Each structure stands twice: as C-alpha cells, then as structure tokens.
Amino acid sequence: MFERLFHRSDLRVAATLYAAAVARARAPVFYTRFRVADSMDGRFDMVTLQVVLLLNRFKGESDKRLARLSQGVFDAMFNDMDRTLRELGVGDQGVPHRVKKMGQAFYGRLNAYDSALSATGDDEFVQALRRNLYRGAEVSEEVLRDLAAHCRAQVAAYAAASADVFLSGELPLAPLPQEIER
C-alpha cells in the first residue's frame, strides 16, 4: 500500500516539475527577444529544450529517486503531448504516430543538447539551437549566443540545487533575461 502511495507522490512531483518547465517555456521573452517561432512547432521545441535542461540535471545521478523523477517528467511530457493532440482533434488513429514522431524529435534534441552542453564553449550549443530550436530559420548570432548563455545559467541553477529541492517539486529557475528596449 505504501509503495502505491509513494508512487502516486512521485507522479505528482514529476507532473509539477513538468508543468513548471512548460510555464518557463511559455515565457514571452523566448518568443520576442529570442525569436523562437510562436507556433506549434516552436512551442514544442521550447518545451523540449526546457525539459532537456531539467533532465540533464538528473543524468548520471546515483540516487534512484532522481532516476524515477526523470522518467516521470518524461512520461508527464508525453502524456501531455498525447492529450494536447487529442484536444486539437487529431483522431485516435493518428495520435500514436504523431507522438512517436515527437518522441524521435525529443530524443534527437536530447542527444544534441546533452552533447553540446558537455562541450567546452558555446559553438556546438549555438549550432544545436540553430538546427533544433530554430530549425534553420534566420536568427542572429547575438540572439543565439544570448540564449545559449541563458540555458547555461539555467543548467548552473539546476546543478546548484540539491536533489531534495527537485524531489519536493520545486524547480530552481535562473532569472529570465529582460526584454530588449526598442
């Protein structure tokens, strides 16, 4: 009985962390200052980036609770994607196919961002953002480097937080950059 209760608690914490990552991905600064496409694809890519930054924190941890939490965040994301597609009117036959494609895209981005985050300097990360978040759209080098710097700050905020912070359902967020005055 306690195992089931603990499992439900794990699911709630993972869902809470995922919801916080989604809320961060919806911050207007990403769509204005950082020029991420305010479209279905752009929002999926921004949520993916935020979730990857979070999951990167749990990578290589020996604490099994964090491994479960990582899997729970991933599951919450794809349950949300499934639900969203259904709400958008995608038929029962089409949802699994689209979720599978989203999963493949997620894993491709996860690999690209993880590799880039472990590299020295930001060149590889900037290129990964250009390919995956911007999908080759024209964006200035300054915007790319500023976003890469913000992502690194977010990774540092996660790294500085103890496992207990995440296990309590808190997402330690780096401050968002300010909008550029026009």
Side-chain angles (χ1 to χ4, degrees):
M1 179 175 152
F2 288 117
E3 204 173 295
R4 274 190 288 189
L5 289 174
F6 183 73
H7 182 66
R8 285 188 193 143
S9 175
D10 286 350
L11 293 176
R12 278 193 295 274
V13 169
T16 298
L17 291 176
Y18 170 70
V22 169
R24 173 50 67 110
R26 290 181 177 163
V29 70
F30 294 117
Y31 304 93
T32 55
R33 178 176 179 186
F34 293 119
R35 311 269 187 247
V36 173
D38 193 2
S39 64
M40 193 87 141
D41 288 341
R43 288 185 178 263
F44 169 77
D45 288 327
M46 196 66 227
V47 168
T48 295
L49 176 61
Q50 294 300 320
V51 169
V52 166
L53 296 176
L54 174 59
L55 297 183
N56 181 271
R57 165 60 176 84
F58 304 143
K59 189 173 81 173
E61 283 281 343
S62 60
D63 188 332
K64 291 189 186 315
R65 298 173 305 165
L66 291 179
R68 283 194 310 268
L69 191 56
S70 180
Q71 184 63 51
V73 169
F74 175 86
D75 292 347
M77 179 178 180
F78 281 89
N79 287 337
D80 183 43
M81 296 299 153
D82 181 284
R83 181 187 52 75
T84 299
L85 288 170
R86 291 175 192 284
E87 286 176 0
L88 291 171
V90 175
D92 288 342
Q93 298 278 337
V95 169
H97 173 72
R98 290 195 186 183
V99 170
K100 181 179 178 181
K101 287 184 75 117
M102 294 167 103
Q104 291 168 338
F106 176 84
Y107 279 118
R109 285 156 178 76
L110 175 73
N111 291 331
Y113 293 144
D114 275 352
S115 173
L117 286 168
S118 65
T120 305
D122 280 338
D123 290 343
E124 189 177 336
F125 193 49
V126 164
Q127 292 311 311
L129 290 170
R130 185 185 308 278
R131 261 189 334 273
N132 296 293
L133 182 62
Y134 294 100
R135 299 184 186 207
E138 191 65 35
V139 62
S140 76
E141 192 73 15
E142 178 184 7
V143 166
L144 285 163
R145 294 217 175 263
D146 286 351
L147 182 56
H150 169 69
C151 290
R152 293 235 185 241
Q154 187 57 65
V155 168
Y158 289 154
S162 72
D164 289 334
V165 169
F166 296 100
L167 292 166
S168 71
E170 292 179 49
L171 195 60
L173 297 172
L176 281 171
Q178 297 299 310
E179 294 288 336
I180 296 173
E181 296 287 324
R182 293 179 196 216

